[in-house]
PDB file of all heavy atoms in Angstrom:
ATOM      1  N   SER D  37       3.273  -0.218 -14.481  1.00 49.00           N
ATOM      2  CA  SER D  37       4.298   0.408 -13.687  1.00 49.00           C
ATOM      3  C   SER D  37       3.810   1.623 -12.918  1.00 49.00           C
ATOM      4  O   SER D  37       2.737   2.139 -13.225  1.00 49.00           O
ATOM      5  CB  SER D  37       5.456   0.846 -14.619  1.00 49.00           C
ATOM      6  OG  SER D  37       5.088   1.999 -15.314  1.00 49.00           O
ATOM      7  N   ASN D  38       4.559   2.033 -11.939  1.00 49.00           N
ATOM      8  CA  ASN D  38       4.244   3.198 -11.151  1.00 49.00           C
ATOM      9  C   ASN D  38       4.069   4.427 -12.056  1.00 49.00           C
ATOM     10  O   ASN D  38       3.273   5.309 -11.778  1.00 49.00           O
ATOM     11  CB  ASN D  38       5.287   3.466 -10.035  1.00 49.00           C
ATOM     12  CG  ASN D  38       4.844   4.525  -9.089  1.00 49.00           C
ATOM     13  OD1 ASN D  38       3.697   4.522  -8.668  1.00 49.00           O
ATOM     14  ND2 ASN D  38       5.694   5.434  -8.812  1.00 49.00           N
ATOM     15  N   HIS D  39       4.782   4.477 -13.138  1.00 51.00           N
ATOM     16  CA  HIS D  39       4.732   5.633 -14.036  1.00 51.00           C
ATOM     17  C   HIS D  39       3.401   5.758 -14.682  1.00 51.00           C
ATOM     18  O   HIS D  39       3.038   6.836 -15.118  1.00 51.00           O
ATOM     19  CB  HIS D  39       5.871   5.569 -15.015  1.00 51.00           C
ATOM     20  CG  HIS D  39       7.214   5.614 -14.482  1.00 51.00           C
ATOM     21  ND1 HIS D  39       7.674   6.659 -13.687  1.00 51.00           N
ATOM     22  CD2 HIS D  39       8.228   4.713 -14.528  1.00 51.00           C
ATOM     23  CE1 HIS D  39       8.894   6.387 -13.276  1.00 51.00           C
ATOM     24  NE2 HIS D  39       9.242   5.205 -13.733  1.00 51.00           N
ATOM     25  N   GLN D  40       2.678   4.677 -14.810  1.00 58.00           N
ATOM     26  CA  GLN D  40       1.337   4.720 -15.445  1.00 58.00           C
ATOM     27  C   GLN D  40       0.287   5.070 -14.465  1.00 58.00           C
ATOM     28  O   GLN D  40      -0.823   5.358 -14.891  1.00 58.00           O
ATOM     29  CB  GLN D  40       1.065   3.366 -16.105  1.00 58.00           C
ATOM     30  CG  GLN D  40       2.008   3.073 -17.301  1.00 58.00           C
ATOM     31  CD  GLN D  40       1.860   1.737 -17.804  1.00 58.00           C
ATOM     32  OE1 GLN D  40       1.765   0.761 -17.079  1.00 58.00           O
ATOM     33  NE2 GLN D  40       1.861   1.550 -19.125  1.00 58.00           N
ATOM     34  N   ARG D  41       0.567   5.064 -13.186  1.00 62.00           N
ATOM     35  CA  ARG D  41      -0.424   5.385 -12.136  1.00 62.00           C
ATOM     36  C   ARG D  41      -0.227   6.832 -11.671  1.00 62.00           C
ATOM     37  O   ARG D  41      -1.223   7.358 -11.137  1.00 62.00           O
ATOM     38  CB  ARG D  41      -0.322   4.453 -10.977  1.00 62.00           C
ATOM     39  CG  ARG D  41      -0.736   2.985 -11.357  1.00 62.00           C
ATOM     40  CD  ARG D  41      -0.762   2.120 -10.099  1.00 62.00           C
ATOM     41  NE  ARG D  41       0.455   2.034  -9.415  1.00 62.00           N
ATOM     42  CZ  ARG D  41       1.404   1.157  -9.619  1.00 62.00           C
ATOM     43  NH1 ARG D  41       1.232   0.201 -10.523  1.00 62.00           N
ATOM     44  NH2 ARG D  41       2.496   1.106  -8.911  1.00 62.00           N
ATOM     45  N   THR D  42       0.913   7.399 -11.853  1.00 61.00           N
ATOM     46  CA  THR D  42       1.171   8.781 -11.378  1.00 61.00           C
ATOM     47  C   THR D  42       2.037   9.514 -12.344  1.00 61.00           C
ATOM     48  O   THR D  42       2.777   8.879 -13.185  1.00 61.00           O
ATOM     49  CB  THR D  42       1.864   8.811 -10.017  1.00 61.00           C
ATOM     50  OG1 THR D  42       3.102   8.113 -10.147  1.00 61.00           O
ATOM     51  CG2 THR D  42       1.056   8.155  -8.924  1.00 61.00           C
ATOM     52  N   LYS D  43       1.939  10.852 -12.339  1.00 62.00           N
ATOM     53  CA  LYS D  43       2.871  11.673 -13.105  1.00 62.00           C
ATOM     54  C   LYS D  43       3.575  12.567 -12.142  1.00 62.00           C
ATOM     55  O   LYS D  43       2.981  13.089 -11.212  1.00 62.00           O
ATOM     56  CB  LYS D  43       2.039  12.544 -14.073  1.00 62.00           C
ATOM     57  CG  LYS D  43       1.351  11.767 -15.150  1.00 62.00           C
ATOM     58  CD  LYS D  43       0.637  12.693 -16.045  1.00 62.00           C
ATOM     59  CE  LYS D  43      -0.091  11.855 -17.132  1.00 62.00           C
ATOM     60  NZ  LYS D  43      -0.941  12.637 -17.997  1.00 62.00           N
ATOM     61  N   ARG D  44       4.886  12.685 -12.337  1.00 60.00           N
ATOM     62  CA  ARG D  44       5.727  13.474 -11.450  1.00 60.00           C
ATOM     63  C   ARG D  44       5.529  15.022 -11.767  1.00 60.00           C
ATOM     64  O   ARG D  44       5.546  15.382 -12.914  1.00 60.00           O
ATOM     65  CB  ARG D  44       7.179  13.081 -11.549  1.00 60.00           C
ATOM     66  CG  ARG D  44       8.036  13.825 -10.517  1.00 60.00           C
ATOM     67  CD  ARG D  44       9.487  13.285 -10.550  1.00 60.00           C
ATOM     68  NE  ARG D  44       9.495  11.892 -10.151  1.00 60.00           N
ATOM     69  CZ  ARG D  44       9.643  11.465  -8.861  1.00 60.00           C
ATOM     70  NH1 ARG D  44       9.746  12.349  -7.889  1.00 60.00           N
ATOM     71  NH2 ARG D  44       9.724  10.204  -8.604  1.00 60.00           N
ATOM     72  N   GLN D  45       5.331  15.748 -10.765  1.00 58.00           N
ATOM     73  CA  GLN D  45       5.243  17.197 -10.870  1.00 58.00           C
ATOM     74  C   GLN D  45       6.463  17.807 -10.216  1.00 58.00           C
ATOM     75  O   GLN D  45       7.179  17.126  -9.501  1.00 58.00           O
ATOM     76  CB  GLN D  45       3.965  17.683 -10.195  1.00 58.00           C
ATOM     77  CG  GLN D  45       2.707  17.198 -10.792  1.00 58.00           C
ATOM     78  CD  GLN D  45       2.374  17.852 -12.118  1.00 58.00           C
ATOM     79  OE1 GLN D  45       3.105  17.758 -13.074  1.00 58.00           O
ATOM     80  NE2 GLN D  45       1.313  18.567 -12.165  1.00 58.00           N
ATOM     81  N   PHE D  49       5.475  16.273  -5.112  1.00 73.00           N
ATOM     82  CA  PHE D  49       4.129  15.850  -5.296  1.00 73.00           C
ATOM     83  C   PHE D  49       3.947  14.938  -6.550  1.00 73.00           C
ATOM     84  O   PHE D  49       4.569  15.153  -7.552  1.00 73.00           O
ATOM     85  CB  PHE D  49       3.171  17.085  -5.478  1.00 73.00           C
ATOM     86  CG  PHE D  49       3.226  17.933  -4.245  1.00 73.00           C
ATOM     87  CD1 PHE D  49       4.035  19.068  -4.223  1.00 73.00           C
ATOM     88  CD2 PHE D  49       2.478  17.617  -3.147  1.00 73.00           C
ATOM     89  CE1 PHE D  49       4.054  19.868  -3.100  1.00 73.00           C
ATOM     90  CE2 PHE D  49       2.479  18.427  -2.003  1.00 73.00           C
ATOM     91  CZ  PHE D  49       3.236  19.557  -1.985  1.00 73.00           C
ATOM     92  N   MET D  50       3.041  13.990  -6.435  1.00 76.00           N
ATOM     93  CA  MET D  50       2.735  13.139  -7.572  1.00 76.00           C
ATOM     94  C   MET D  50       1.263  13.384  -7.866  1.00 76.00           C
ATOM     95  O   MET D  50       0.400  13.444  -7.005  1.00 76.00           O
ATOM     96  CB  MET D  50       2.918  11.653  -7.208  1.00 76.00           C
ATOM     97  CG  MET D  50       4.386  11.271  -6.747  1.00 76.00           C
ATOM     98  SD  MET D  50       5.565  11.234  -8.059  1.00 76.00           S
ATOM     99  CE  MET D  50       5.183   9.678  -8.790  1.00 76.00           C
ATOM    100  N   VAL D  51       0.977  13.481  -9.154  1.00 84.00           N
ATOM    101  CA  VAL D  51      -0.428  13.685  -9.574  1.00 84.00           C
ATOM    102  C   VAL D  51      -0.955  12.338 -10.154  1.00 84.00           C
ATOM    103  O   VAL D  51      -0.346  11.821 -11.073  1.00 84.00           O
ATOM    104  CB  VAL D  51      -0.510  14.774 -10.650  1.00 84.00           C
ATOM    105  CG1 VAL D  51      -1.916  14.929 -11.139  1.00 84.00           C
ATOM    106  CG2 VAL D  51       0.032  16.108 -10.083  1.00 84.00           C
ATOM    107  N   PRO D  52      -2.042  11.807  -9.576  1.00 85.00           N
ATOM    108  CA  PRO D  52      -2.512  10.509 -10.108  1.00 85.00           C
ATOM    109  C   PRO D  52      -3.074  10.614 -11.521  1.00 85.00           C
ATOM    110  O   PRO D  52      -3.695  11.603 -11.906  1.00 85.00           O
ATOM    111  CB  PRO D  52      -3.598  10.178  -9.096  1.00 85.00           C
ATOM    112  CG  PRO D  52      -4.050  11.448  -8.519  1.00 85.00           C
ATOM    113  CD  PRO D  52      -2.836  12.340  -8.530  1.00 85.00           C
ATOM    114  N   THR D  53      -2.809   9.551 -12.256  1.00 90.00           N
ATOM    115  CA  THR D  53      -3.392   9.395 -13.598  1.00 90.00           C
ATOM    116  C   THR D  53      -4.795   8.822 -13.456  1.00 90.00           C
ATOM    117  O   THR D  53      -5.169   8.346 -12.393  1.00 90.00           O
ATOM    118  CB  THR D  53      -2.521   8.505 -14.480  1.00 90.00           C
ATOM    119  OG1 THR D  53      -2.594   7.219 -13.877  1.00 90.00           O
ATOM    120  CG2 THR D  53      -1.090   8.994 -14.571  1.00 90.00           C
ATOM    121  N   PRO D  54      -5.530   8.763 -14.555  1.00 92.00           N
ATOM    122  CA  PRO D  54      -6.869   8.153 -14.481  1.00 92.00           C
ATOM    123  C   PRO D  54      -6.774   6.682 -14.001  1.00 92.00           C
ATOM    124  O   PRO D  54      -7.602   6.177 -13.246  1.00 92.00           O
ATOM    125  CB  PRO D  54      -7.393   8.203 -15.907  1.00 92.00           C
ATOM    126  CG  PRO D  54      -6.784   9.490 -16.401  1.00 92.00           C
ATOM    127  CD  PRO D  54      -5.412   9.494 -15.798  1.00 92.00           C
ATOM    128  N   LEU D  55      -5.701   5.983 -14.398  1.00 94.00           N
ATOM    129  CA  LEU D  55      -5.475   4.607 -13.953  1.00 94.00           C
ATOM    130  C   LEU D  55      -5.283   4.557 -12.415  1.00 94.00           C
ATOM    131  O   LEU D  55      -5.872   3.669 -11.747  1.00 94.00           O
ATOM    132  CB  LEU D  55      -4.320   3.926 -14.702  1.00 94.00           C
ATOM    133  CG  LEU D  55      -3.922   2.560 -14.225  1.00 94.00           C
ATOM    134  CD1 LEU D  55      -5.054   1.580 -14.511  1.00 94.00           C
ATOM    135  CD2 LEU D  55      -2.644   2.135 -14.939  1.00 94.00           C
ATOM    136  N   GLY D  56      -4.481   5.450 -11.885  1.00 90.00           N
ATOM    137  CA  GLY D  56      -4.223   5.472 -10.436  1.00 90.00           C
ATOM    138  C   GLY D  56      -5.511   5.797  -9.716  1.00 90.00           C
ATOM    139  O   GLY D  56      -5.782   5.202  -8.625  1.00 90.00           O
ATOM    140  N   ILE D  57      -6.240   6.718 -10.234  1.00 92.00           N
ATOM    141  CA  ILE D  57      -7.574   7.086  -9.571  1.00 92.00           C
ATOM    142  C   ILE D  57      -8.509   5.893  -9.594  1.00 92.00           C
ATOM    143  O   ILE D  57      -9.141   5.599  -8.539  1.00 92.00           O
ATOM    144  CB  ILE D  57      -8.183   8.311 -10.285  1.00 92.00           C
ATOM    145  CG1 ILE D  57      -7.326   9.560 -10.007  1.00 92.00           C
ATOM    146  CG2 ILE D  57      -9.615   8.564  -9.816  1.00 92.00           C
ATOM    147  CD1 ILE D  57      -7.679  10.735 -10.837  1.00 92.00           C
TER     148      ILE D  57
END
Side-chain angles (χ1 to χ4, degrees):
S37 74
N38 189 45
H39 299 300
Q40 293 171 318
R41 294 187 300 268
T42 61
K43 292 181 183 175
R44 185 171 297 270
Q45 297 286 63
F49 299 98
M50 303 285 281
V51 177
T53 64
L55 176 61
I57 292 169

